[in-house]
Amino acid sequence: MEIITADLCDEFREKVKIADPIFKMFGKRKSFYGPVHTVKVYEDNVLVKKALQTIPEGSVLVVDGGGSTRCALLGDNLADIAVTRKLPGIIVYGCIRDSAEINQMDIGVRAIATHPLKSIKQGKGLEQVAVQFAGINFEPGAYVYVDEDGILVSEQPLV
């Protein structure tokens, strides 16, 4: 099912929070939605991989990478895990790499930039905590709706 964030804003204006428009679009899926699962990391993607391997099918992984533009937190190998596990999308408040490959995959990815350097692998960070970036809060269990026009978050499912 394709969602249209403009229509959701029109119908549920008081129920949605809208992220600041700071993200670039990657992957074949231009729209996606699902329940939010979070990780909070900084230049370390071990928990990103773990989450992609374990969160429920249909979930959207929201990665608070602290906005770092010094390395990538997601590349084609991790995106492939998400595709295989039928995750519709990933939002990264940080960078990705292998964007040409990701753009050929059946997934939606939003990130602030690309960077060719991979992250460190120490396993530091937090899982399933509320994260704040782009002017809004992403709470585990909330619902996120994404298309070419933006990112919306709602406490309740809208579709």
Side-chain angles (χ1 to χ4, degrees):
M1 168 191 246
E2 187 166 328
I3 55 102
I4 300 172
T5 59
D7 291 348
L8 292 175
C9 283
D10 291 349
E11 186 172 350
F12 301 105
R13 183 181 190 110
E14 302 303 318
K15 292 184 178 183
V16 298
K17 304 291 184 217
I18 304 167
D20 294 339
I22 61 171
F23 295 94
K24 296 179 180 177
M25 191 170 27
F26 304 94
K28 282 187 175 179
R29 285 193 188 188
K30 302 307 177 197
S31 72
F32 59 91
Y33 68 95
V36 170
H37 287 262
T38 67
V39 295
K40 184 178 178 96
V41 298
Y42 190 73
E43 299 179 2
D44 181 341
N45 75 347
V46 171
L47 293 182
V48 175
K49 182 176 182 179
K50 178 183 174 190
L52 292 171
Q53 293 171 326
T54 59
I55 66 175
E57 179 180 314
S59 299
V60 174
L61 181 62
V62 176
V63 179
D64 180 353
S68 173
T69 56
R70 299 185 335 161
C71 68
L73 295 173
L74 178 83
D76 62 337
N77 291 332
L78 295 189
D80 189 55
I81 293 170
V83 170
T84 300
R85 297 209 53 251
K86 297 185 170 91
L87 304 178
I90 306 164
I91 299 169
V92 182
Y93 184 50
C95 294
I96 68 163
R97 67 188 210 160
D98 305 317
S99 62
E101 290 85 356
I102 291 172
N103 284 336
Q104 300 305 310
M105 296 180 170
D106 184 24
I107 189 150
V109 176
R110 299 299 182 274
I112 59 175
T114 58
H115 198 291
L117 182 66
K118 67 182 177 180
S119 74
I120 59 173
K121 312 283 189 237
Q122 294 178 338
K124 294 181 180 179
L126 300 169
E127 302 170 89
Q128 284 299 85
V129 297
V131 296
Q132 299 80 34
F133 57 84
I136 62 172
N137 295 329
F138 293 85
E139 296 273 349
Y143 289 80
V144 65
Y145 301 87
V146 182
D147 71 1
E148 296 94 333
D149 289 335
I151 298 172
L152 310 179
V153 175
S154 170
E155 293 178 15
Q156 314 286 316
L158 303 177
V159 295

